Amino acid sequence: MEPVFFEYIPELNQAPEMRELLLEYGTIRRYEPGDVILEEYSRIRAIPIVTKGTIKVLQTDDDYREMVLYYLQPGESCIMSFLGGIHDEKSKIRAVAEERSELLLISVDNMMKLIREHPMWLNYVFRLYHKRFEELLEVLNAVSFKKMDERLLAYLQRRAEVTGSRVLYITHEQISTELATARVVVSRLLKQMEKEGLVELHRNKLILKS
């Protein structure tokens, strides 16, 4: 029986021989929520493909504030890790398991071998690059033009989308860190959203209503 994550990689339907190679080249690693998968400024030795769960990718500014750039779901890889790995550059991002997750780690050399021997794999890389580029544009647009209440709601909606649940186990402190704003601002906006019937607040979790 083939791994479920194969379903999310359409390129494998056009080049089925890559299925066995992915499993042959890759090593499965499992992570618990909150586990750090990749630190900023660390050397990239392997390219991850998510097989289960959700991974969030963040970047830290000069004041050590973090901002979520995008999420990785089954069948996806981190294009920034890919580019850093093939150019032998240190990581510019931090990757953390959002929930219990599993990754297929493929060495940079083997990933390059896949691309050389199976050009169809480039479609996979370009497709991910396009998706990540659009998501980064959304982040830039939100930071530049949207009010914090709009950013907060969009953040919660996106988190619910990637986890498949409207029950979000997260603290005000975590939200403020990932939105690069003050905790008091997040708490004030969440209370206002609760009055408007958008969320239901509980200790260390909230329920998104719409």
Side-chain angles (χ1 to χ4, degrees):
M1 184 176 180
E2 292 187 335
V4 175
F5 78 96
F6 279 0
E7 300 175 6
Y8 302 100
I9 305 179
E11 288 78 10
L12 295 181
N13 295 324
Q14 302 173 58
E17 63 274 15
M18 289 195 300
R19 297 168 183 258
E20 291 185 8
L21 288 176
L22 283 178
L23 298 178
E24 177 186 338
Y25 291 161
T27 301
I28 292 290
R29 294 281 175 85
R30 295 176 178 82
Y31 299 88
E32 294 297 320
D35 283 353
V36 176
I37 298 164
L38 180 65
E39 285 282 13
E40 288 181 292
Y41 309 112
S42 61
R43 187 67 64 185
I44 300 171
R45 304 296 184 188
I47 310 301
I49 297 177
V50 181
T51 60
K52 295 179 183 178
T54 304
I55 307 299
K56 62 182 175 184
V57 177
L58 313 98
Q59 189 172 45
T60 306
D61 66 13
D62 294 336
D63 295 321
Y64 301 101
R65 294 178 300 180
E66 292 182 329
M67 177 176 290
V68 175
L69 301 178
Y70 48 81
Y71 292 91
L72 303 178
Q73 296 180 276
E76 296 185 340
S77 180
C78 179
I79 195 67
M80 295 183 73
S81 295
F82 183 89
L83 294 174
I86 63 175
H87 292 295
D88 195 28
E89 297 175 346
K90 292 184 178 180
S91 172
K92 295 180 175 62
I93 53 90
R94 186 168 182 259
V96 180
E98 177 73 6
E99 55 188 341
R100 184 171 292 177
S101 302
E102 182 182 274
L103 300 182
L104 181 70
L105 299 177
I106 301 177
S107 71
V108 174
D109 289 342
N110 279 332
M111 184 62 79
M112 293 303 297
K113 185 177 180 182
L114 270 175
I115 291 176
R116 287 194 302 269
E117 298 180 358
H118 301 276
M120 182 59 67
W121 196 242
L122 274 176
N123 286 357
Y124 172 78
V125 175
F126 289 145
R127 178 168 58 82
L128 289 179
Y129 187 92
H130 178 72
K131 183 176 182 180
R132 296 288 91 88
F133 183 73
E134 288 188 330
E135 288 176 334
L136 289 175
L137 283 181
E138 290 179 6
V139 172
L140 179 61
N141 178 64
V143 172
S144 301
F145 305 112
K146 289 187 178 180
K147 296 179 180 179
M148 183 52 69
D149 57 345
E150 295 176 308
R151 288 181 58 200
L152 175 57
L153 182 58
Y155 165 84
L156 296 176
Q157 290 172 335
R158 178 59 177 153
R159 196 177 180 106
E161 178 186 343
V162 299
T163 60
S165 174
R166 289 186 172 273
V167 180
L168 305 179
Y169 293 90
I170 190 168
T171 65
H172 295 193
E173 185 68 32
Q174 286 174 284
I175 296 173
S176 66
T177 297
E178 295 185 7
L179 288 179
T181 189
R183 182 186 183 282
V184 64
V185 173
V186 169
S187 297
R188 174 174 56 80
L189 290 176
L190 284 175
K191 288 179 181 178
Q192 181 60 39
M193 290 171 64
E194 186 174 43
K195 290 180 181 178
E196 295 173 1
L198 298 175
V199 298
E200 182 180 315
L201 302 179
H202 300 273
R203 182 176 177 81
N204 295 335
K205 77 172 183 178
L206 62 85
I207 301 173
L208 187 62
K209 293 294 188 178
S210 63

